[in-house]
């Protein structure tokens, strides 16, 4: 088994280093190979996703990804910006199914900006379609308007589109996932305004016929954004398109107190996955050793479970993280009165120690 390790930019290198240390200590049989991606790859090779990096990712059973991006690249032509690396990996690897769990850890209830009773015990899974929608729809570009409110004016446009098979396959992923949880799916759309999402709703409803044991409801995206802060525990699995999923998954992540805790997985139909923290490259704190490595460490656990068939090793990581939190260690983003603030490296050390201690004591 092979893991492509792509740390990327900003805090990416620091947090991925800790996840790699955690994987090393598990003593499993796999090979890890590191490559540049994002701004770091642009600096070295003139492209955010060099052919060699893409080749490595394609050959690997899984990709462990840090984060990409820095404001200093905002002026580059779009195809050369760091974000294109992640979009390029998703489409080239066909990773259409993005899993973004939003789990509120017992010890971190106080870190949320919502009232504790609203989020204690929160466990939602957002399933975001990742290779379609307005993100990738063609045509797109700039032109002179021939109609609209200002004919003759300069305008820019993107295309929102979904084909039936694209909706069917992500709906199946959501229903299957719900079967392993509380058997409820909320499909989020904007069917009241958009053709694309009326179609989405119709296709999801049709696929649902194959899953009578799962409860399905539909919700408009604006209402979903509201319900997420009003009564988040009412959700189990949320399935939605690429654009709405981008927005709602950040919202859901923040309910839990810190986006620094949340892993994510992007899978194709062969279970080849890309695993990354839900947060970004945070250039403002890069290189200071203060970033929270737990989302990346938990992403490595998801990788072991979903792509590498090592559920037991994944459990060991997850329980180590819980015991470290229980011991009161916190990085700055999740610190609260009465807990002990530590840096990136110390947090990694603590997880490694918790794993080795469990191994020794059985
Ligand atoms: C995410 C990010 C990306 C996205 C960016 C970096 C292209 O926000 O993974 O949610 O919009 O999908
Ligand atoms: Mg996003």
């Amino acid at each position: 088994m092979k893991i492509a390790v792509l740390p990327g930019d900003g805090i990416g290198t620091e947090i991925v280093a800790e996840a790699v240390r955690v994987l090393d200590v598990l003593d499993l049989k796999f090979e890890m190979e590191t490559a540049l991606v994002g701004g770091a790859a642009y600096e070295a090779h003139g492209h955010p996703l060099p052919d060699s990096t893409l080749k490595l990712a394609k050959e690997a059973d899984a990709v462990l990804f840090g984060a990409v991006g820095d404001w200093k690249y905002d002026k580059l032509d779009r195809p050369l910006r760091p974000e294109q690396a992640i979009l390029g990996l998703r489409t080239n690897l066909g990773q259409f199914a993005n899993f973004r769990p939003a789990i509120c850890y017992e010890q971190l209830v106080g870190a949320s900006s919502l009232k504790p009773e609203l989020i204690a015990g929160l466990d939602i899974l957002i399933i975001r379609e990742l290779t379609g929608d307005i993100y990738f729809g063609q045509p797109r570009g700039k032109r002179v308007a021939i109609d609209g409110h200002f004919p003759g004016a300069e305008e820019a446009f993107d295309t929102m589109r979904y084909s039936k098979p694209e909706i069917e396959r992500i709906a199946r992923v959501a229903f299957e996932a719900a079967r392993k949880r509380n058997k409820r799916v909320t499909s989020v759309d904007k069917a009241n305004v958009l053709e694309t999402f009326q179609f989405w709703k119709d296709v999801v409803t049709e696929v649902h016929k194959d899953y009578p044991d799962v409860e399905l409801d539909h919700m408009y995206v604006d209402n979903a954004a509201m319900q997420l802060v009003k009564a988040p525990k009412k959700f189990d699995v949320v399935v939605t398109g690429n654009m709405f999923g981008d927005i709602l998954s950040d919202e859901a992540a923040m309910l839990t107190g810190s986006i620094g805790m949340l892993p994510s997985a992007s899978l194709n139909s062969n279970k080849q996955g890309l695993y990354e923290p839900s947060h970004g490259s945070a250039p403002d704190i890069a290189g200071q050793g203060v970033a929270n490595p737990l989302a990346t460490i938990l992403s490595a656990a998801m990788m072991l479970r979903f792509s590498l068939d090592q559920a037991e090793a994944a459990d060991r990581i997850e329980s180590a993280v819980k015991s470290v939190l229980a011991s009161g260690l916190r990085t700055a983003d999740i610190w609260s009165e009465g807990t002990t603030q530590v840096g990136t490296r110390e947090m990694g050390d603590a997880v490694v120690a918790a794993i080795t201690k469990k191994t020794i004591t059985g």
Side-chain angles (χ1 to χ4, degrees):
M1 285 184 302
K2 189 164 182 177
I3 302 171
V5 179
L6 311 182
D9 306 322
I11 59 170
T13 46
E14 303 157 51
I15 55 181
V16 167
E18 297 313 313
V20 166
R21 291 174 61 219
V22 168
L23 287 167
D24 277 337
V25 86
L26 291 168
D27 217 11
L28 299 168
K29 294 204 168 30
F30 45 60
E31 195 191 322
M32 292 195 251
E33 193 176 330
T34 302
L36 295 176
V37 74
Y42 171 76
E43 304 282 358
H45 304 289
H47 197 279
L49 182 58
D51 288 341
S52 53
T53 301
L54 181 58
K55 184 164 171 278
L56 172 69
K58 278 185 166 166
E59 283 167 4
D61 298 285
V63 177
L64 183 63
F65 193 92
V68 290
D70 191 310
W71 302 296
K72 67 181 182 213
Y73 302 116
D74 283 356
K75 287 202 178 68
L76 289 177
D77 284 347
R78 185 173 303 281
L80 295 178
R81 289 189 209 161
E83 292 77 11
Q84 293 303 310
I86 183 75
L87 297 173
L89 283 165
R90 288 170 185 171
T91 111
N92 277 289
L93 298 174
Q95 286 160 338
F96 68 92
N98 182 217
F99 291 73
R100 296 196 168 177
I103 295 171
C104 186
Y105 286 83
E106 201 187 306
Q107 294 87 2
L108 301 182
V109 170
S112 174
S113 48
L114 293 197
K115 294 191 194 103
E117 61 269 30
L118 284 183
I119 46 106
L122 181 80
D123 182 355
I124 348 184
L125 175 60
I126 301 209
I127 297 186
R128 167 188 177 195
E129 199 290 330
L130 205 57
T131 52
D133 203 352
I134 197 164
Y135 267 60
F136 293 97
Q138 294 291 339
R140 57 186 278 162
K142 269 188 166 174
R143 65 187 170 196
V144 172
I146 48 167
D147 49 17
H149 295 298
F150 292 97
E154 215 189 337
E155 71 173 8
F157 63 103
D158 298 274
T159 302
M160 177 177 274
R161 57 191 281 187
Y162 264 122
S163 65
K164 194 168 181 191
E166 281 178 295
I167 304 170
E168 283 169 344
R169 66 181 181 178
I170 194 72
R172 290 195 189 282
V173 167
F175 290 126
E176 303 280 348
R179 272 189 173 156
K180 297 187 193 136
R181 300 169 46 102
N182 295 320
K183 298 196 167 62
R184 283 188 294 114
V185 170
T186 303
S187 170
V188 172
D189 62 56
K190 189 70 188 174
N192 50 346
V193 178
L194 301 170
E195 289 301 327
T196 314
F197 276 90
Q198 177 62 56
F199 186 54
W200 171 282
K201 184 175 180 179
D202 295 344
V203 175
V204 172
T205 305
E206 207 176 303
V207 174
H208 179 231
K209 290 185 188 139
D210 293 341
Y211 301 86
D213 53 316
V214 178
E215 203 183 304
L216 169 68
D217 66 341
H218 303 275
M219 201 180 274
Y220 297 142
V221 61
D222 47 352
N223 187 24
M226 194 164 74
Q227 296 306 325
L228 271 175
V229 287
K230 186 173 169 227
K233 283 193 261 185
K234 288 204 176 135
F235 293 100
D236 178 20
V237 172
V238 174
V239 65
T240 190
N242 204 347
M243 175 84 152
F244 298 156
D246 178 45
I247 299 164
L248 293 183
S249 62
D250 265 25
E251 188 189 2
M254 212 52 220
L255 298 176
T256 68
S258 172
I259 199 165
M261 290 300 299
L262 298 176
S264 80
S266 306
L267 292 173
N268 66 18
S269 37
N270 303 320
K271 298 245 184 282
Q272 191 189 21
L274 182 144
Y275 298 84
E276 57 175 328
S278 286
H279 59 74
S281 55
D284 53 328
I285 57 163
Q288 298 173 21
V290 298
N292 186 347
L294 294 178
T296 317
I297 290 171
L298 291 166
S299 298
M302 273 183 119
M303 171 176 82
L304 292 169
R305 179 168 290 120
F306 290 143
S307 288
L308 304 176
D309 254 337
Q310 300 279 351
E312 204 189 314
D315 288 344
R316 285 168 69 197
I317 296 181
E318 285 161 0
S319 65
V321 167
K322 280 188 193 135
S323 75
V324 167
L325 290 176
S327 76
L329 298 191
R330 304 282 187 271
T331 42
D333 57 315
I334 52 175
W335 181 86
S336 61
E337 204 91 37
T339 62
T340 313
Q341 188 164 330
V342 295
T344 312
R345 183 73 200 233
E346 291 154 289
M347 189 54 108
D349 284 343
V351 176
V352 165
I355 291 174
T356 35
K357 193 171 108 216
K358 287 237 168 64
T359 312
I360 293 161
T361 59

